[in-house]
Amino acid sequence: MDKSKRQLLGQIAAISAGAAFLPVAQASTSKPKATSGKRYGMLIDLRRCVGCQACTVACTIENQPPLGQFRTTVNQYEVTQGQESAFMMLPRLCNHCENPPCIPVCPTGATFQRQDGIVVVDSHWCVGCGYCVQACPYDARFINHDTNTADKCTFCAHRLEAGLLPACVETCVGEARIIGDLNDPGSQISRMLAEHRDEIKVLKPSAETSPCVFYLGMTAAFEERIRGEAPVRSLMTATGEELHHGH
């Protein structure tokens, strides 16, 4: 689909959004979910993340987003408690939710969930309306400057299909990222989730999206206070109170 046609469809979709939401939402949410077979998820062990951004670089090389746009990145925070302070790294990416809010708002059905739970965007159907970008509570989506379509992390589905690890997982120097089948109790991710059950956290649990990106070693202060584009360093107390921002 050429750029002019996509822009035209985007205008039409915006005008007729009210009429399109109901049937498209029903069609989109009726796509098969990962109730059997593989269900991919990712565990990020923040105790191992050193903030080197190797994952960001590898993702950029593999998926070629436009300059200045990223499918994954690592935000850095300085957390203080009393007289002590420490840095915390927080890798960010699409959470490939069990209940993804980006799907029902898509007026063309371009965003959908695969059988293995990975949420993807069909760029041939996407008209760049941005509804999914606004709907994502994790600020994990963006409109690609080159294609004018929605873009995001796909867990490197093309690599998984070839028996390879996602680029970010393969290049993580601290082996902080673990991807695997959540439906397989013997997989490394399932075993770690079971072993550290009381310590596992997800971002914005109040959104009730059932995200499939899990964090180990994250304080509760960060669950609900995360923004999509945090500064390189954000000084916070252990309870999540922001003291100042800086680069």
Side-chain angles (χ1 to χ4, degrees):
M1 184 184 297
D2 59 43
K3 182 177 179 180
S4 60
K5 185 176 181 182
R6 182 178 289 117
Q7 290 175 334
L8 176 61
L9 287 174
Q11 294 170 356
I12 295 172
I15 295 171
S16 60
F21 279 164
L22 182 58
V24 172
Q26 290 174 345
S28 298
T29 54
S30 65
K31 289 180 182 293
K33 297 280 184 82
T35 54
S36 61
K38 285 188 176 181
R39 202 316 175 194
Y40 284 109
M42 183 177 289
L43 172 64
I44 302 178
D45 189 344
L46 300 181
R47 304 170 304 177
R48 290 177 168 269
C49 178
V50 297
C52 67
Q53 300 287 357
C55 53
T56 304
V57 174
C59 176
T60 298
I61 294 173
E62 179 70 28
N63 297 295
Q64 296 292 303
L67 183 66
Q69 294 186 304
F70 306 95
R71 290 186 173 189
T72 188
T73 188
V74 181
N75 291 348
Q76 302 178 23
Y77 298 87
E78 185 176 356
V79 182
T80 65
Q81 186 170 17
Q83 298 298 315
E84 299 182 358
S85 64
F87 283 104
M88 191 190 86
M89 312 302 170
L90 190 68
R92 302 291 305 284
L93 68 159
C94 172
N95 281 244
H96 299 280
C97 311
E98 288 285 359
N99 303 306
C102 53
I103 290 180
V105 300
C106 178
T108 65
T111 289
F112 64 96
Q113 191 168 38
R114 301 179 0 152
Q115 286 277 10
D116 55 13
I118 298 176
V119 178
V120 295
V121 180
D122 187 333
S123 60
H124 294 94
W125 282 89
C126 180
V127 295
C129 65
Y131 292 140
C132 62
V133 175
Q134 296 298 319
C136 177
Y138 307 104
D139 298 305
R141 287 173 168 254
F142 57 92
I143 298 298
N144 186 300
H145 294 331
D146 291 341
T147 64
N148 289 316
T149 58
D151 203 335
K152 58 180 248 358
C153 159
T154 63
F155 275 169
C156 280
H158 60 289
R159 290 178 61 90
L160 290 173
E161 291 167 357
L164 303 172
L165 292 173
C168 64
V169 176
E170 186 174 79
T171 58
C172 181
V173 296
E175 298 183 349
R177 297 191 182 212
I178 299 168
I179 194 167
D181 183 5
L182 297 174
N183 288 338
D184 177 7
S187 66
Q188 183 182 6
I189 187 171
S190 293
R191 288 186 281 106
M192 287 197 68
L193 288 175
E195 180 182 353
H196 301 280
R197 179 177 303 173
D198 296 335
E199 305 167 72
I200 298 295
K201 297 186 184 301
V202 296
L203 294 180
K204 295 190 176 180
S206 63
E208 298 182 348
T209 63
S210 298
C212 286
V213 172
F214 308 92
Y215 293 90
L216 177 58
M218 182 174 74
T219 64
F222 287 86
E223 287 181 345
E224 297 289 349
R225 299 183 61 86
I226 297 303
R227 292 189 302 273
E229 296 181 2
V232 175
R233 289 176 57 185
S234 181
L235 185 61
M236 304 179 73
T237 67
T239 58
E241 179 185 358
E242 297 182 28
L243 301 180
H244 76 269
H245 297 297
H247 289 272

